[in-house]
Amino acid sequence: MTYRWKLSATAASFAAVLAIAGCGEEKKSEEQAAAPAPASGEQTAATEAPAGNPLDALIAEAKKEGSLTTIALPHDWCNYGELIQTFKDKYGLQVNELNPDAGSGDEVEAIKAN
């Protein structure tokens, strides 16, 4: 698998997570809301995301390459059109949109092929 396709797959995954995350508000139980944050140096649960923002790494790599390539992000689904345009405007990067109307099976096959 080439680096470019890995970056494309990461971008598509991130866009999907971003879109899904923006669709709803997280609701915590009273127990979760009242639980204290772990003390400094205390081990956290294995399910927590690693420190740092994965979007920062994606943007840095896209800037190195001069563009971001995506696949299967139709503009009229989950607000991808606005998301892509906002990304272009904010970071001044070209976004190469490969087969925006492809399905997830097409994505998998494209990744396997490259």
Side-chain angles (χ1 to χ4, degrees):
M1 184 181 321
T2 65
Y3 179 77
R4 186 176 194 146
W5 277 104
K6 286 180 186 178
L7 185 61
S8 296
T10 301
S13 297
F14 177 76
V17 169
L18 184 62
I20 292 168
C23 292
E25 183 178 322
E26 180 180 352
K27 295 182 180 169
K28 295 183 179 181
S29 68
E30 287 180 28
E31 183 178 286
Q32 288 174 319
S40 179
E42 190 175 317
Q43 189 172 5
T44 58
T47 58
E48 291 182 23
N53 184 348
L55 182 58
D56 292 340
L58 177 74
I59 294 164
E61 292 300 320
K63 284 181 177 180
K64 280 184 195 174
E65 290 189 16
S67 66
L68 177 71
T69 301
T70 64
I71 186 171
L73 299 178
H75 284 218
D76 61 347
W77 189 67
C78 287
N79 206 25
Y80 283 142
E82 184 178 338
L83 180 79
I84 292 167
Q85 188 60 51
T86 300
F87 184 90
K88 289 178 187 180
D89 294 343
K90 184 172 183 177
Y91 299 106
L93 290 166
Q94 176 185 348
V95 176
N96 302 315
E97 298 179 67
L98 304 178
N99 198 2
D101 296 320
S104 58
D106 298 319
E107 288 177 287
V108 171
E109 290 305 313
I111 292 167
K112 286 180 181 178
N114 291 295

XYZ file of all heavy atoms in Angstrom:
834
model
N 0.858 -1.169 0.000
C 0.000 0.000 0.000
C 0.905 1.232 0.000
O 1.821 1.334 0.786
C -0.892 -0.048 1.244
C -1.874 1.064 1.299
S -2.949 1.100 2.772
C -3.350 -0.576 3.080
N 0.650 2.151 -0.905
C 1.488 3.336 -0.988
C 1.127 4.332 0.092
O 0.031 4.300 0.662
C 1.311 4.032 -2.358
O -0.018 4.511 -2.458
C 1.652 3.101 -3.502
N 2.077 5.203 0.360
C 1.871 6.220 1.390
C 0.688 7.110 1.045
O -0.103 7.462 1.906
C 3.146 7.046 1.543
C 3.001 8.120 2.567
C 3.055 7.809 3.919
C 2.770 9.438 2.203
C 2.898 8.777 4.873
C 2.611 10.413 3.155
C 2.679 10.083 4.491
O 2.522 11.041 5.438
N 0.548 7.460 -0.225
C -0.544 8.344 -0.645
C -1.905 7.720 -0.362
O -2.825 8.380 0.094
C -0.400 8.662 -2.119
C -1.398 9.667 -2.600
C -1.155 10.015 -4.041
N -1.920 11.188 -4.330
C -1.562 12.119 -5.153
N -0.425 12.032 -5.769
N -2.326 13.155 -5.373
N -2.030 6.417 -0.625
C -3.303 5.752 -0.373
C -3.558 5.623 1.118
O -4.690 5.705 1.579
C -3.367 4.399 -1.063
C -3.784 4.587 -2.486
C -2.994 4.535 -3.585
C -5.083 4.939 -2.955
N -3.711 4.816 -4.698
C -5.003 5.063 -4.354
C -6.297 5.144 -2.336
C -6.105 5.389 -5.129
C -7.395 5.469 -3.119
C -7.284 5.590 -4.498
N -2.495 5.413 1.896
C -2.674 5.365 3.347
C -3.185 6.714 3.847
O -4.067 6.776 4.695
C -1.358 5.020 4.047
C -0.956 3.590 3.900
C 0.363 3.344 4.615
C 0.874 1.948 4.363
N 2.168 1.723 4.998
N -2.608 7.771 3.307
C -3.040 9.111 3.695
C -4.482 9.345 3.263
O -5.287 9.906 4.013
C -2.116 10.174 3.092
C -2.371 11.616 3.492
C -2.215 11.775 5.008
C -1.412 12.537 2.769
N -4.838 8.872 2.081
C -6.211 9.018 1.596
C -7.186 8.255 2.475
O -8.253 8.762 2.814
C -6.318 8.505 0.155
O -5.533 9.279 -0.702
N -6.798 7.042 2.839
C -7.669 6.243 3.702
C -7.824 6.908 5.064
O -8.912 6.941 5.637
C -7.107 4.833 3.853
N -6.733 7.460 5.574
C -6.785 8.157 6.856
C -7.691 9.377 6.751
O -8.495 9.640 7.638
C -5.375 8.587 7.302
O -4.557 7.422 7.405
C -5.405 9.305 8.628
N -7.564 10.120 5.665
C -8.392 11.306 5.471
C -9.871 10.937 5.388
O -10.715 11.586 6.002
C -7.963 12.047 4.207
N -10.170 9.881 4.645
C -11.564 9.452 4.528
C -12.103 9.000 5.880
O -13.225 9.338 6.265
C -11.688 8.321 3.503
N -11.292 8.249 6.610
C -11.712 7.791 7.935
C -11.926 8.959 8.868
O -12.903 9.020 9.614
C -10.669 6.848 8.535
O -10.543 5.708 7.741
N -10.994 9.909 8.823
C -11.123 11.068 9.697
C -12.366 11.875 9.352
O -13.095 12.314 10.232
C -9.891 11.964 9.619
C -10.054 13.186 10.455
C -9.934 13.100 11.832
C -10.384 14.395 9.892
C -10.133 14.213 12.624
C -10.574 15.507 10.673
C -10.449 15.422 12.046
N -12.613 12.051 8.066
C -13.791 12.815 7.654
C -15.072 12.124 8.129
O -15.998 12.786 8.592
C -13.805 12.994 6.135
N -15.093 10.795 8.046
C -16.267 10.064 8.512
C -16.448 10.227 10.019
O -17.550 10.473 10.503
C -16.146 8.586 8.154
N -15.356 10.117 10.762
C -15.430 10.285 12.220
C -15.863 11.704 12.560
O -16.700 11.914 13.432
C -14.066 9.954 12.874
C -14.033 10.382 14.326
C -13.790 8.463 12.760
N -15.291 12.674 11.867
C -15.633 14.075 12.116
C -17.113 14.326 11.842
O -17.801 14.967 12.633
C -14.767 14.981 11.244
C -14.912 16.474 11.438
C -14.504 16.863 12.857
C -14.054 17.214 10.431
N -17.602 13.780 10.742
C -19.007 13.978 10.395
C -19.929 13.310 11.412
O -20.922 13.892 11.845
C -19.279 13.429 8.993
N -19.579 12.106 11.806
C -20.410 11.385 12.774
C -20.362 12.069 14.134
O -21.366 12.223 14.808
C -19.982 9.912 12.871
C -20.324 9.206 11.552
C -20.655 9.211 14.038
C -19.699 7.845 11.401
N -19.178 12.495 14.527
C -19.024 13.154 15.824
C -19.821 14.458 15.875
O -20.351 14.833 16.916
C -17.559 13.433 16.115
N -19.908 15.140 14.745
C -20.634 16.402 14.713
C -22.137 16.237 14.663
O -22.887 17.192 14.846
N -22.607 15.008 14.444
C -24.043 14.775 14.301
C -24.781 14.663 15.626
O -25.994 14.706 15.650
C -24.287 13.505 13.487
S -23.791 13.679 11.761
N -24.094 14.462 16.697
C -24.791 14.285 17.961
C -23.984 14.809 19.126
O -22.819 15.119 19.007
N -24.647 14.926 20.241
C -24.004 15.419 21.451
C -23.788 14.245 22.382
O -24.667 13.418 22.576
C -24.919 16.454 22.110
C -24.319 17.083 23.334
C -25.250 18.131 23.923
O -25.902 18.846 23.160
O -25.316 18.205 25.151
N -22.596 14.162 22.964
C -22.300 13.075 23.887
C -23.081 13.299 25.168
O -23.107 14.379 25.725
C -20.804 13.046 24.196
C -20.422 11.938 25.138
C -18.945 11.917 25.452
O -18.188 12.659 24.833
O -18.576 11.158 26.341
N -23.708 12.242 25.625
C -24.457 12.315 26.866
C -23.782 11.427 27.883
O -23.523 10.268 27.623
C -25.906 11.892 26.642
C -26.633 12.852 25.731
C -28.063 12.486 25.538
C -28.676 13.530 24.619
N -29.945 13.208 24.137
N -23.491 11.969 29.041
C -22.836 11.225 30.096
C -23.838 10.931 31.199
O -24.708 11.741 31.488
C -21.670 12.025 30.677
C -20.555 12.272 29.702
C -19.417 13.007 30.370
C -18.289 13.242 29.384
N -17.174 13.917 30.003
N -23.653 9.779 31.807
C -24.493 9.456 32.950
C -24.061 10.338 34.116
O -22.988 10.937 34.101
C -24.329 7.978 33.320
O -23.025 7.747 33.834
N -24.893 10.412 35.118
C -24.532 11.216 36.301
C -23.242 10.699 36.911
O -22.401 11.470 37.367
C -25.668 11.175 37.318
C -26.873 11.984 36.907
C -27.986 11.933 37.945
O -27.686 11.749 39.137
O -29.149 12.076 37.546
N -23.054 9.367 36.887
C -21.844 8.766 37.447
C -20.617 9.192 36.649
O -19.585 9.533 37.211
C -21.983 7.248 37.429
C -20.817 6.520 38.064
C -21.041 5.020 38.055
O -21.865 4.526 38.851
O -20.384 4.349 37.232
N -20.712 9.198 35.320
C -19.588 9.609 34.479
C -19.281 11.083 34.676
O -18.125 11.483 34.737
C -19.904 9.354 33.007
C -19.901 7.899 32.632
C -20.373 7.713 31.198
O -21.316 8.369 30.753
N -19.718 6.815 30.490
N -20.315 11.906 34.754
C -20.118 13.338 34.903
C -19.484 13.679 36.242
O -18.706 14.631 36.355
C -21.452 14.074 34.750
N -19.806 12.903 37.279
C -19.291 13.180 38.621
C -17.921 12.564 38.874
O -17.241 12.932 39.830
C -20.271 12.657 39.666
N -17.489 11.645 38.004
C -16.201 10.958 38.212
C -15.052 11.945 38.066
O -15.023 12.746 37.134
C -16.046 9.827 37.213
N -14.088 11.906 38.979
C -12.942 12.811 38.879
C -12.017 12.390 37.740
O -11.958 11.222 37.370
C -12.244 12.646 40.236
C -12.631 11.275 40.688
C -14.018 11.048 40.150
N -11.312 13.342 37.196
C -10.326 13.062 36.154
C -9.150 12.328 36.780
O -8.844 12.521 37.946
C -9.865 14.374 35.517
N -8.471 11.457 36.023
C -7.330 10.744 36.580
C -6.232 11.717 37.010
O -6.017 12.742 36.366
C -6.835 9.868 35.428
C -7.784 10.023 34.313
C -8.729 11.121 34.639
N -5.578 11.387 38.094
C -4.483 12.222 38.585
C -3.307 12.141 37.621
O -3.169 11.178 36.877
C -4.062 11.748 39.973
N -2.478 13.147 37.639
C -1.312 13.184 36.771
C -0.455 11.942 37.013
O -0.157 11.590 38.136
C -0.507 14.446 37.060
O 0.629 14.472 36.239
N -0.083 11.267 35.938
C 0.739 10.078 36.048
C -0.062 8.809 36.256
O 0.474 7.717 36.165
N -1.350 8.929 36.530
C -2.195 7.760 36.739
C -2.513 7.138 35.382
O -2.742 7.834 34.404
C -3.495 8.200 37.430
C -4.357 7.054 37.908
C -5.565 7.558 38.683
O -5.408 8.481 39.508
O -6.651 7.043 38.439
N -2.525 5.817 35.330
C -2.776 5.120 34.081
C -4.222 5.334 33.657
O -5.138 5.280 34.467
C -2.492 3.638 34.245
C -2.532 2.890 32.940
C -2.058 1.454 33.109
O -1.799 1.006 34.208
N -1.953 0.748 32.018
N -4.435 5.561 32.356
C -5.787 5.760 31.826
C -6.255 4.484 31.146
O -5.467 3.592 30.862
C -5.823 6.933 30.832
O -4.896 6.654 29.784
C -5.461 8.244 31.507
N -7.524 4.425 30.855
C -8.108 3.246 30.216
C -7.518 3.044 28.828
O -7.197 4.005 28.133
C -9.624 3.412 30.125
N -7.418 1.800 28.412
C -6.838 1.467 27.111
C -7.698 1.946 25.955
O -7.216 2.061 24.840
C -6.637 -0.040 27.012
N -8.962 2.245 26.200
C -9.849 2.667 25.125
C -9.745 4.158 24.816
O -10.316 4.628 23.858
C -11.318 2.352 25.480
O -11.643 3.003 26.703
C -11.533 0.865 25.609
N -9.007 4.910 25.609
C -8.895 6.344 25.361
C -7.963 6.614 24.190
O -7.009 5.884 23.949
C -8.382 7.064 26.612
C -9.404 7.063 27.732
C -8.918 7.821 28.955
O -8.044 8.684 28.814
O -9.422 7.536 30.041
N -8.238 7.684 23.467
C -7.414 8.067 22.330
C -6.038 8.523 22.806
O -5.913 9.091 23.882
C -8.099 9.197 21.561
N -5.004 8.275 22.015
C -3.680 8.738 22.402
C -3.628 10.257 22.405
O -4.439 10.928 21.769
C -2.771 8.155 21.324
C -3.665 7.838 20.176
C -5.032 7.589 20.747
N -2.661 10.786 23.129
C -2.507 12.242 23.205
C -2.216 12.800 21.820
O -1.623 12.146 20.981
C -1.378 12.588 24.165
N -2.606 14.009 21.599
C -2.369 14.651 20.315
C -3.602 14.559 19.442
O -4.487 13.741 19.650
N -3.633 15.401 18.452
C -4.765 15.470 17.550
C -4.376 14.817 16.228
O -3.470 15.303 15.555
C -5.148 16.941 17.359
C -6.375 17.117 16.513
O -6.857 16.190 15.868
N -6.896 18.321 16.498
N -5.056 13.737 15.807
C -4.690 13.090 14.546
C -4.873 14.015 13.347
O -4.206 13.852 12.335
C -5.614 11.874 14.464
C -6.682 12.109 15.457
C -6.156 13.061 16.475
N -5.733 15.008 13.468
C -5.916 15.956 12.382
C -4.644 16.762 12.147
O -4.304 17.071 11.005
C -7.094 16.895 12.676
C -7.432 17.908 11.589
C -7.750 17.223 10.269
C -8.588 18.778 12.015
N -3.903 17.067 13.218
C -2.644 17.803 13.065
C -1.664 17.033 12.183
O -1.012 17.609 11.312
C -2.010 18.082 14.426
C -2.814 19.068 15.261
O -3.636 19.826 14.686
O -2.631 19.076 16.495
N -1.567 15.719 12.406
C -0.663 14.895 11.601
C -1.143 14.839 10.151
O -0.334 14.927 9.216
C -0.578 13.489 12.186
N -2.451 14.707 9.950
C -3.002 14.673 8.605
C -2.710 15.968 7.861
O -2.259 15.951 6.713
C -4.518 14.434 8.670
C -5.242 14.447 7.335
C -4.943 13.181 6.561
C -6.727 14.613 7.537
N -2.912 17.096 8.503
C -2.676 18.397 7.878
C -1.197 18.575 7.558
O -0.834 19.032 6.473
C -3.195 19.537 8.773
C -4.716 19.450 8.861
C -2.755 20.894 8.271
C -5.323 20.250 9.989
N -0.328 18.191 8.484
C 1.117 18.320 8.260
C 1.546 17.507 7.042
O 2.317 17.992 6.198
C 1.887 17.883 9.503
N 1.061 16.282 6.931
C 1.423 15.434 5.794
C 0.829 15.978 4.494
O 1.482 15.940 3.451
C 0.981 13.988 6.030
C 1.748 13.300 7.127
C 3.245 13.225 6.863
O 3.659 12.986 5.708
O 4.013 13.405 7.818
N -0.392 16.473 4.540
C -1.009 17.049 3.344
C -0.237 18.281 2.884
O -0.047 18.493 1.685
C -2.470 17.394 3.617
N 0.249 19.084 3.839
C 1.042 20.262 3.476
C 2.358 19.847 2.834
O 2.818 20.483 1.885
C 1.287 21.138 4.708
C 0.063 21.933 5.107
C 0.338 22.816 6.300
C -0.888 23.660 6.635
N -0.667 24.529 7.785
N 2.971 18.769 3.325
C 4.214 18.267 2.726
C 3.983 17.857 1.281
O 4.807 18.122 0.415
C 4.738 17.052 3.496
C 5.478 17.364 4.752
C 6.014 16.058 5.334
C 6.456 16.207 6.754
N 6.848 14.896 7.347
N 2.850 17.176 1.039
C 2.532 16.707 -0.311
C 1.911 17.793 -1.179
O 1.882 17.682 -2.393
C 1.581 15.514 -0.246
C 2.230 14.275 0.304
C 1.350 13.047 0.159
O 0.371 13.081 -0.621
O 1.649 12.058 0.824
N 1.366 18.830 -0.546
C 0.754 19.918 -1.291
C -0.718 19.711 -1.592
O -1.349 20.558 -2.219
N -1.266 18.581 -1.176
C -2.686 18.319 -1.406
C -3.134 17.175 -0.504
O -2.326 16.499 0.113
C -2.945 17.951 -2.868
O -2.341 16.714 -3.182
N -4.442 16.989 -0.470
C -5.059 15.889 0.270
C -5.929 15.136 -0.724
O -6.666 15.750 -1.491
C -5.919 16.423 1.417
C -6.680 15.386 2.221
C -5.712 14.565 3.071
C -7.712 16.044 3.103
N -5.822 13.820 -0.729
C -6.627 13.010 -1.629
C -7.666 12.253 -0.818
O -7.344 11.652 0.205
C -5.739 12.019 -2.410
O -4.776 12.771 -3.158
C -6.563 11.183 -3.372
N -8.916 12.311 -1.282
C -10.007 11.612 -0.609
C -10.697 10.696 -1.608
O -10.534 10.841 -2.821
C -11.038 12.595 -0.030
O -11.655 13.313 -1.119
C -10.408 13.562 0.944
N -11.466 9.769 -1.090
C -12.258 8.883 -1.936
C -13.590 8.637 -1.231
O -13.647 8.561 -0.005
C -11.523 7.550 -2.229
C -12.313 6.705 -3.225
C -11.200 6.798 -0.963
C -11.572 5.481 -3.738
N -14.635 8.562 -2.025
C -15.982 8.217 -1.543
C -16.510 9.192 -0.501
O -17.021 8.790 0.532
C -16.006 6.781 -1.018
N -16.412 10.489 -0.779
C -16.986 11.506 0.104
C -17.961 12.364 -0.711
O -17.639 13.470 -1.136
C -15.891 12.393 0.714
C -14.851 11.700 1.578
C -13.817 12.703 2.069
C -15.512 11.004 2.751
N -19.189 11.866 -0.938
C -20.154 12.630 -1.727
C -20.534 13.940 -1.035
O -20.773 13.967 0.166
C -21.362 11.695 -1.840
C -21.145 10.604 -0.861
C -19.714 10.603 -0.452
N -20.582 15.003 -1.809
C -20.837 16.340 -1.253
C -22.192 16.464 -0.572
O -22.349 17.274 0.334
C -20.717 17.393 -2.352
C -19.298 17.674 -2.717
N -18.851 18.922 -3.027
C -18.213 16.869 -2.814
C -17.564 18.883 -3.304
N -17.157 17.639 -3.185
N -23.152 15.672 -0.997
C -24.496 15.808 -0.433
C -24.768 14.829 0.716
O -25.901 14.684 1.163
C -25.556 15.630 -1.526
C -25.494 14.264 -2.193
O -24.497 13.527 -1.997
O -26.442 13.926 -2.926
N -23.743 14.182 1.227
C -23.921 13.217 2.305
C -23.107 13.651 3.510
O -21.922 13.978 3.393
C -23.495 11.819 1.834
C -23.825 10.729 2.782
C -25.064 10.287 3.123
C -22.904 9.931 3.529
N -24.972 9.260 4.020
C -23.654 9.022 4.289
C -21.526 9.902 3.629
C -23.071 8.092 5.137
C -20.949 8.981 4.468
C -21.721 8.092 5.202
N -23.713 13.701 4.661
C -23.044 14.061 5.928
C -22.287 15.384 5.843
O -21.264 15.565 6.507
C -22.095 12.957 6.381
S -22.943 11.522 7.020
N -22.743 16.277 4.982
C -22.145 17.599 4.874
C -20.687 17.576 4.404
O -19.902 18.457 4.710
C -22.264 18.345 6.209
C -22.265 19.833 6.037
O -22.627 20.353 4.989
N -21.832 20.541 7.056
N -20.307 16.519 3.655
C -18.928 16.429 3.175
C -18.562 17.585 2.254
O -17.418 18.035 2.248
C -18.677 15.109 2.456
C -18.505 13.929 3.374
C -19.020 12.688 3.036
C -17.819 14.048 4.577
C -18.865 11.599 3.868
C -17.667 12.968 5.415
C -18.182 11.742 5.059
O -18.031 10.663 5.875
N -19.502 18.063 1.462
C -19.195 19.172 0.557
C -18.693 20.386 1.318
O -17.660 20.971 0.967
N -19.399 20.776 2.362
C -18.982 21.923 3.167
C -17.694 21.618 3.922
O -16.811 22.471 4.033
C -20.080 22.312 4.151
C -19.732 23.560 4.947
C -20.835 23.986 5.893
O -22.004 23.614 5.685
O -20.516 24.701 6.853
N -17.568 20.409 4.419
C -16.359 20.010 5.145
C -15.125 20.122 4.258
O -14.099 20.684 4.659
C -16.516 18.569 5.656
C -15.349 17.997 6.424
C -15.367 18.518 7.846
C -15.422 16.485 6.426
N -15.226 19.635 3.022
C -14.102 19.696 2.088
C -13.781 21.142 1.731
O -12.618 21.551 1.719
C -14.402 18.852 0.834
C -14.426 17.363 1.217
C -13.382 19.114 -0.264
C -15.010 16.455 0.150
N -14.803 21.938 1.444
C -14.573 23.338 1.090
C -13.947 24.109 2.256
O -13.043 24.910 2.076
C -15.871 24.016 0.644
C -15.650 25.407 0.088
C -14.724 25.404 -1.126
O -14.921 24.649 -2.078
N -13.695 26.243 -1.098
N -14.415 23.856 3.466
C -13.859 24.507 4.651
C -12.394 24.130 4.827
O -11.556 24.977 5.139
C -14.666 24.135 5.910
O -16.017 24.557 5.711
C -14.109 24.795 7.150
N -12.060 22.862 4.608
C -10.674 22.402 4.698
C -9.802 23.140 3.682
O -8.729 23.635 4.010
C -10.599 20.884 4.472
C -9.228 20.314 4.647
C -8.809 19.872 5.886
C -8.360 20.207 3.579
C -7.541 19.347 6.061
C -7.088 19.683 3.733
C -6.674 19.254 4.984
N -10.286 23.232 2.436
C -9.540 23.939 1.388
C -9.299 25.393 1.780
O -8.182 25.912 1.655
C -10.319 23.918 0.065
C -10.391 22.597 -0.617
C -11.246 22.782 -1.887
C -11.547 21.518 -2.590
N -12.375 21.729 -3.794
N -10.360 26.059 2.232
C -10.266 27.471 2.588
C -9.356 27.696 3.790
O -8.543 28.619 3.793
C -11.655 28.040 2.898
C -12.575 28.068 1.689
O -12.085 27.951 0.544
O -13.799 28.188 1.896
N -9.477 26.857 4.786
C -8.722 27.042 6.018
C -7.237 26.760 5.847
O -6.398 27.483 6.369
C -9.291 26.147 7.120
C -8.613 26.346 8.465
C -9.326 25.579 9.563
C -8.666 25.846 10.901
N -9.375 25.187 11.999
N -6.898 25.690 5.109
C -5.501 25.275 5.009
C -4.860 25.603 3.675
O -3.662 25.386 3.493
C -5.381 23.779 5.319
C -5.856 23.468 6.706
C -7.073 22.827 6.921
C -5.123 23.862 7.819
C -7.531 22.571 8.204
C -5.580 23.614 9.099
C -6.780 22.967 9.283
O -7.230 22.724 10.550
N -5.632 26.126 2.722
C -5.070 26.515 1.432
C -4.511 25.339 0.647
O -3.555 25.495 -0.108
N -5.096 24.189 0.828
C -4.630 22.986 0.151
C -5.637 22.527 -0.896
O -6.840 22.696 -0.734
C -4.435 21.845 1.155
C -3.267 22.011 2.115
C -3.377 21.026 3.259
C -1.961 21.833 1.383
N -5.106 21.933 -1.954
C -5.963 21.327 -2.960
C -6.464 19.998 -2.409
O -5.726 19.274 -1.741
C -5.163 21.088 -4.236
C -5.928 20.386 -5.313
C -5.063 20.062 -6.526
O -3.947 20.543 -6.650
N -5.585 19.238 -7.404
N -7.718 19.662 -2.687
C -8.261 18.361 -2.292
C -8.611 17.609 -3.575
O -9.433 18.051 -4.358
C -9.506 18.507 -1.389
C -10.100 17.142 -1.077
C -9.147 19.237 -0.101
N -7.916 16.489 -3.790
C -8.164 15.634 -4.948
C -9.255 14.646 -4.555
O -9.021 13.766 -3.735
C -6.896 14.867 -5.340
C -5.756 15.799 -5.650
O -5.926 16.790 -6.339
N -4.591 15.490 -5.118
N -10.414 14.798 -5.146
C -11.544 13.942 -4.792
C -11.674 12.811 -5.808
O -12.076 13.028 -6.934
C -12.823 14.762 -4.746
C -12.767 15.848 -3.687
C -14.022 16.674 -3.664
O -15.076 16.105 -3.302
O -13.948 17.860 -4.015
N -11.301 11.614 -5.384
C -11.401 10.449 -6.252
C -12.740 9.771 -6.045
O -13.101 9.422 -4.931
C -10.277 9.454 -5.927
C -8.848 9.998 -5.993
C -7.872 8.911 -5.597
C -8.533 10.543 -7.366
N -13.473 9.597 -7.098
C -14.736 8.870 -7.101
C -15.612 9.204 -5.886
O -15.849 8.357 -5.029
C -14.458 7.364 -7.176
C -15.667 6.571 -7.608
O -16.730 7.120 -7.890
N -15.516 5.261 -7.645
N -16.110 10.430 -5.798
C -16.877 10.846 -4.627
C -18.114 9.997 -4.354
O -18.561 9.900 -3.223
C -17.280 12.282 -4.931
C -16.634 12.671 -6.178
C -15.984 11.481 -6.780
N -18.668 9.361 -5.374
C -19.890 8.577 -5.181
C -19.626 7.087 -4.963
O -20.554 6.282 -4.975
C -20.824 8.770 -6.387
C -21.287 10.209 -6.490
O -21.576 10.816 -5.435
O -21.339 10.740 -7.612
N -18.368 6.720 -4.728
C -18.024 5.316 -4.506
C -18.574 4.830 -3.175
O -18.797 5.606 -2.248
C -16.503 5.148 -4.521
N -18.776 3.550 -3.077
C -19.220 2.938 -1.829
C -18.026 2.427 -1.037
O -16.877 2.470 -1.504
N -18.272 1.907 0.145
C -17.186 1.438 0.997
C -16.439 0.264 0.365
O -15.229 0.132 0.531
C -17.707 1.060 2.380
O -18.698 0.065 2.275
N -17.134 -0.584 -0.378
C -16.465 -1.685 -1.076
C -15.478 -1.177 -2.102
O -14.390 -1.735 -2.272
N -15.851 -0.088 -2.801
C -14.945 0.534 -3.769
C -13.703 1.083 -3.075
O -12.593 1.004 -3.605
C -15.654 1.673 -4.517
C -16.841 1.184 -5.328
O -16.737 0.123 -5.967
O -17.868 1.880 -5.311
N -13.896 1.664 -1.889
C -12.767 2.185 -1.110
C -11.789 1.074 -0.776
O -10.574 1.221 -0.949
C -13.238 2.817 0.197
C -13.954 4.125 0.053
C -14.425 4.622 1.400
O -15.389 4.062 1.945
O -13.819 5.582 1.905
N -12.315 -0.026 -0.287
C -11.471 -1.154 0.104
C -10.694 -1.676 -1.103
O -9.484 -1.917 -1.035
C -12.311 -2.272 0.756
C -11.492 -3.529 0.955
C -12.884 -1.799 2.069
N -11.369 -1.831 -2.228
C -10.703 -2.323 -3.428
C -9.625 -1.353 -3.916
O -8.558 -1.776 -4.360
C -11.721 -2.596 -4.551
C -12.604 -3.789 -4.266
C -11.822 -5.061 -3.978
O -10.873 -5.391 -4.731
O -12.151 -5.748 -2.998
N -9.888 -0.051 -3.831
C -8.885 0.945 -4.230
C -7.651 0.863 -3.342
O -6.516 0.959 -3.818
C -9.485 2.344 -4.185
N -7.858 0.668 -2.059
C -6.736 0.555 -1.126
C -5.945 -0.711 -1.402
O -4.717 -0.683 -1.449
C -7.242 0.602 0.338
C -7.770 1.999 0.642
C -6.136 0.211 1.315
C -8.562 2.108 1.927
N -6.638 -1.822 -1.640
C -5.953 -3.077 -1.958
C -5.139 -2.963 -3.240
O -4.050 -3.506 -3.346
C -6.967 -4.217 -2.101
C -7.542 -4.703 -0.797
C -8.528 -5.833 -1.080
C -9.170 -6.362 0.162
N -10.161 -7.423 -0.147
N -5.685 -2.263 -4.227
C -5.039 -2.144 -5.531
C -3.807 -1.249 -5.501
O -2.945 -1.360 -6.359
C -6.034 -1.625 -6.566
N -3.749 -0.385 -4.530
C -2.622 0.547 -4.490
C -1.817 0.327 -3.242
O -1.090 1.020 -2.761
C -3.127 1.969 -4.583
C -3.695 2.241 -5.963
O -2.985 2.225 -6.927
N -4.993 2.446 -6.036
